[in-house]
């Protein structure tokens, strides 16, 4: 029988793309989302792509009783926990909001997974847990520095909750996935990043500027010690990232994982600077972008990219898409979205 997987944050950006990959690999995803930064109508596009109508609970994961009743009703083989607030700058301004939301939701998802004997718990973490690293690429054993923001701290604390609760003899095994910079959209152009709040991440800011939703955009600093002075990140296509979740689930459900908790970095293993990303967009789309160089953004890390050898060896995961694919799919989605 098809294995049932709870996807928290199922109507969000990475959650919705992962639901597609799960369906394509024979799983039955069930979505849960409070809709504070996404719209459940995205599941109609998911149905158009996959032919499958996904069951959805419009529930806040921080609501323990409401979440518990879902665990009572359904019998989950796995939980993929995406639901979280993720704006670095906002977390500096409103730290309590971030602690309350990201920690309570993780606590509920984790505690209920353990109580109901869910076999696999996959946690959406971030390269932000490494803090301002001295050199890249970073491996999973690179020591974690102080978090650069309350958002980053909630991801570190989420990881610690898992470390403290998933023990050697636990029925539940866990995988922590540390994403670098997810970007791009599904190749169909039917779904992509569609935050209901204002987009702040680089790639949607670029596409929104190019389509005219913003008059221009800022490059936050070109005085960093990097090859062109702008910050370096590891941009990973959202469908590559989505597939890593399916492989992570399988490794636990198929009893491939011997130890209670594994951690994997997910990036493409190469850095691109902000200016290089902009130039990739311009060359792929033929659109000139209106940008200005401004001050550094507080809380930004200078340069970080991944070593993903562990995911390659243990999960047989390898990224298929590059920065040009990211820009092409993100642009297709922006054009489509502007006509909706
Ligand atoms: C950060 C976290 C990442 C987290 C993500 C969630 C780090 C290293 N990374 O990503 O783990 O998942 O937030 O949102 O902490 N930029 C511009 N102009 C813009 C927007 C961005 O120049 O309008 C630049 C930024 O300064 C940065 C790069 O583009 O150098 C990427 O920024 P962004 O897309 O916001 O992601 P991160 O801050 O790297």
């Amino acid at each position: 029988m098809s294995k049932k997987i709870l996807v928290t944050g199922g109507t969000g950006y990475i959650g919705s793309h992962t639901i597609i990959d799960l369906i394509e690999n024979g799983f039955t995803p069930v979505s849960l989302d409070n809709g504070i930064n996404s719209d459940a109508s995205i599941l109609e596009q998911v149905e158009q792509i996959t032919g499958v109508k996904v069951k959805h609970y419009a529930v806040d994961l921080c609501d323990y009783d409401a979440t518990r009743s879902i665990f009572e009703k359904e019998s989950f083989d796995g939980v993929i926990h995406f639901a979280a607030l993720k704006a670095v700058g906002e977390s500096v301004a409103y730290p309590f909001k971030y602690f309350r939301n990201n920690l309570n939701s993780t606590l509920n998802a984790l505690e209920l997974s353990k109580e109901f004997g869910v076999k696999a718990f996959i946690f959406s973490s971030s390269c932000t847990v490494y803090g301002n690293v001295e050199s890249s690429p970073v491996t999973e054993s690179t020591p974690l520095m102080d978090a650069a923001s309350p958002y980053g701290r909630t991801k570190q604390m989420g990881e610690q909750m898992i470390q403290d609760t998933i023990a050697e003899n636990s029925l539940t095994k866990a995988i922590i996935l540390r994403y670098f910079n997810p970007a791009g959209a599904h190749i169909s152009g039917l779904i992509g990043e569609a935050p209901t709040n204002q987009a702040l991440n680089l790639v949607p800011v670029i596409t929104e500027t190019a389509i005219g939703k913003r008059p221009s955009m800022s490059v936050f600093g070109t005085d960093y010690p990097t090859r062109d002075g702008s910050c370096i990140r590891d941009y990973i296509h959202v469908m590559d990232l989505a597939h890593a979740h399916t492989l992570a689930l399988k490794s636990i459900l198929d009893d491939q994982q011997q130890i209670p908790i594994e951690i994997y970095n997910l990036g493409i293993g190469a850095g691109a600077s902000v200016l290089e990303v902009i130039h990739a967009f311009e060359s792929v789309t033929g659109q000139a972008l209106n940008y200005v160089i401004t001050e550094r953004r507080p809380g930004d890390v200078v340069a970080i990219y991944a070593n993903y050898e562990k995911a390659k060896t243990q999960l047989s995961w390898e990224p298929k898409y590059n920065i040009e694919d990211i820009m092409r799919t993100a642009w297709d989605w922006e054009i489509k979205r502007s006509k909706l």
Side-chain angles (χ1 to χ4, degrees):
M1 218 181 83
S2 171
K3 299 217 161 91
K4 203 188 274 185
I5 311 299
L6 176 66
V7 180
T8 80
T11 59
Y13 174 44
I14 307 172
S16 56
H17 287 77
T18 300
I19 282 178
I20 293 176
D21 198 77
L22 288 171
I23 293 170
E24 286 171 351
N25 286 280
F27 289 97
T28 301
V30 173
S31 163
L32 177 155
D33 206 302
N34 64 2
I36 57 164
N37 195 23
S38 62
D39 194 320
S41 64
I42 196 95
L43 295 176
E44 289 162 23
Q45 275 85 59
V46 168
E47 185 175 352
Q48 218 177 311
I49 295 167
T50 61
V52 174
K53 191 174 178 63
V54 175
K55 188 187 250 188
H56 174 65
Y57 288 96
V59 161
D60 190 334
L61 193 53
C62 291
D63 181 339
Y64 178 82
D65 293 337
T67 307
R68 190 168 211 289
S69 70
I70 297 171
F71 276 79
E72 275 164 0
K73 203 151 41 166
E74 310 276 354
S75 178
F76 296 121
D77 299 284
V79 169
I80 307 182
H81 174 40
F82 292 105
L85 297 172
K86 59 146 194 148
V88 174
E90 185 191 46
S91 79
V92 176
Y94 305 103
F96 284 117
K97 182 175 169 186
Y98 273 68
F99 289 122
R100 193 180 300 283
N101 184 80
N102 291 3
L103 300 184
N104 283 328
S105 55
T106 302
L107 205 54
N108 289 345
L110 189 56
E111 192 175 3
L112 290 165
S113 294
K114 285 205 70 182
E115 184 186 335
F116 286 83
V118 173
K119 198 169 171 187
F121 185 85
I122 314 292
F123 180 58
S124 168
S125 189
S126 163
C127 69
T128 194
V129 299
Y130 293 111
N132 220 330
V133 290
E134 273 153 25
S135 65
S136 278
V138 292
T139 71
E140 292 79 358
S141 49
T142 298
L144 307 189
M145 313 284 273
D146 202 25
S149 68
Y151 160 73
R153 185 91 62 201
T154 65
K155 288 295 175 189
Q156 288 182 340
M157 291 166 87
E159 291 196 4
Q160 285 161 357
M161 278 186 207
I162 293 170
Q163 301 283 1
D164 286 347
T165 56
I166 305 280
E168 207 52 59
N169 57 357
S170 170
L171 276 178
T172 307
K173 284 186 173 165
I175 289 183
I176 292 167
L177 297 176
R178 292 179 179 157
Y179 317 150
F180 282 66
N181 286 58
H186 191 260
I187 355 285
S188 64
L190 288 172
I191 69 164
E193 197 163 0
T196 45
N197 302 322
Q198 196 197 23
L200 297 170
N201 292 115
L202 179 62
V203 174
V205 166
I206 290 176
T207 57
E208 287 184 6
T209 306
I211 206 131
K213 288 183 186 164
R214 303 165 188 246
S216 80
M217 62 163 286
S218 300
V219 171
F220 297 135
T222 51
D223 57 349
Y224 285 100
T226 60
R227 49 186 178 259
D228 60 21
S230 61
C231 289
I232 292 182
R233 296 287 184 276
D234 183 334
Y235 296 89
I236 170 176
H237 195 280
V238 67
M239 287 313 294
D240 278 332
L241 190 62
H243 191 53
H245 291 77
T246 304
L247 295 175
L249 257 184
K250 278 188 179 165
S251 78
I252 296 181
L253 297 179
D254 298 347
D255 296 318
Q256 302 295 312
Q257 181 170 307
Q258 304 309 325
I259 56 174
I261 306 166
E262 284 281 16
I263 301 177
Y264 296 102
N265 279 345
L266 298 173
I268 68 163
S273 74
V274 176
L275 291 172
E276 286 164 354
V277 174
I278 289 176
H279 296 147
F281 175 82
E282 292 181 324
S283 82
V284 161
T285 64
Q287 296 272 322
L289 199 68
N290 196 8
Y291 65 89
V292 287
I293 290 161
T294 60
E295 301 265 284
R296 291 180 178 196
R297 181 175 70 174
D300 262 340
V301 163
V302 181
I304 187 163
Y305 57 95
N307 173 319
Y308 69 88
E309 238 0 82
K310 190 176 168 193
K312 185 177 171 185
T313 320
Q314 298 192 21
L315 299 177
S316 304
W317 175 81
E318 199 141 21
K320 289 202 285 238
Y321 301 104
N322 60 23
I323 191 72
E324 280 79 24
D325 301 317
I326 287 175
M327 300 324 291
R328 194 175 301 112
T329 54
W331 183 233
D332 284 351
W333 163 241
E334 187 65 69
I335 291 170
K336 174 98 188 171
R337 184 157 80 113
S338 65
K339 291 182 189 148
L340 290 178

